[in-house]
Amino acid sequence: MPDFTPAVETLLRTIAEAGDKGAQFQVAPRRRYRLAGTDYVVNQSSFYPLTGGEYVTDGGDDQAPVRLTDRGREWIRQHPVPRGGSRGPYRPRRTRSTRQAAPRATRFGYAGGFTAELTERVIVITCPDNGTGGATLPADGWEQRAIDRHPTLHAVEGPTIAGSYALHWREDSRTDADLLVQSLAIVRAEPARSS
């Protein structure tokens, strides 16, 4: 059974968590799909290894819920989520009242239009606008390269429609400020592409 990229694995586990009823996705801008009722957005290309390998199916109807196949269930069984939840299924954000009770994240602005904020060792980097209504995003596949190069970076989520990525760090002895600088350096170092 193949190893998937973090984005594809998260998508597969999210579909698996939906159970027999399946996960309903809606078309979103810029060749993406949004999980109905959530802010989880995934690139269309993340579906290709799953549908091509027959790990998931929508029964040939693009409007139908996406369900796990027997092959997908077998992959999940052979690849349990590592301790700590790395690359687990999408988890919806907390409710609005819970978010308001939490302290606001510190937000930083950087040259070139990048912004960054830090919340509980998760750093959200928002890429600059390309001037035509979309963000200028890093090259495809940079997330796995970053995880391979940085042992304490255990997951990268995104991009969201706003052009943001969430970098999840764990067991890293660096200060929050150092992690902000490191995260920004990782995203900015990748060749840019327009979304």
Side-chain angles (χ1 to χ4, degrees):
M1 297 252 167
D3 285 328
F4 295 123
T5 65
V8 172
E9 183 174 341
T10 299
L11 174 59
L12 180 62
R13 292 186 189 281
T14 300
I15 293 168
E17 194 169 78
D20 293 336
K21 65 180 174 142
Q24 183 68 55
F25 288 88
Q26 301 163 338
V27 175
R30 299 188 206 106
R31 294 182 312 218
R32 296 183 179 131
Y33 288 106
R34 176 184 299 280
L35 180 60
T38 72
D39 61 355
Y40 175 58
V41 179
V42 62
N43 290 325
Q44 287 180 6
S45 60
S46 295
F47 279 93
Y48 301 156
L50 299 179
T51 55
E54 297 180 355
Y55 295 94
V56 299
T57 183
D58 60 8
D61 179 2
D62 289 343
Q63 303 301 317
V66 180
R67 293 179 174 85
L68 210 58
T69 63
D70 290 337
R71 187 169 187 185
R73 283 187 201 72
E74 181 63 20
W75 192 96
I76 295 283
R77 190 186 65 72
Q78 290 183 15
H79 297 83
V81 177
R83 189 176 175 91
S86 175
R87 288 183 277 191
Y90 164 77
R91 297 285 181 219
R93 297 172 120 177
R94 297 177 300 222
T95 62
R96 184 175 179 83
S97 60
T98 309
R99 283 201 310 267
Q100 288 175 341
R104 283 188 67 107
T106 307
R107 194 170 182 89
F108 300 88
Y110 296 92
F114 287 91
T115 59
E117 64 184 57
L118 173 69
T119 308
E120 299 175 3
R121 307 300 268 185
V122 176
I123 297 176
V124 177
I125 302 289
T126 302
C127 298
D129 191 317
N130 64 18
T132 60
T136 302
L137 304 176
D140 289 330
W142 73 272
E143 299 95 335
Q144 189 59 50
R145 287 193 303 273
I147 290 169
D148 292 343
R149 291 179 192 149
H150 303 277
T152 58
L153 177 62
H154 73 98
V156 177
E157 295 177 36
T160 64
I161 288 179
S164 298
Y165 292 90
L167 286 74
H168 297 258
W169 298 86
R170 72 169 173 221
E171 298 175 13
D172 195 303
S173 60
R174 290 178 285 188
T175 66
D176 290 350
D178 289 339
L179 282 182
L180 276 169
V181 170
Q182 180 66 65
S183 299
L184 186 64
I186 290 170
V187 176
R188 290 178 74 179
E190 292 293 331
R193 65 182 171 85
S194 292
S195 64

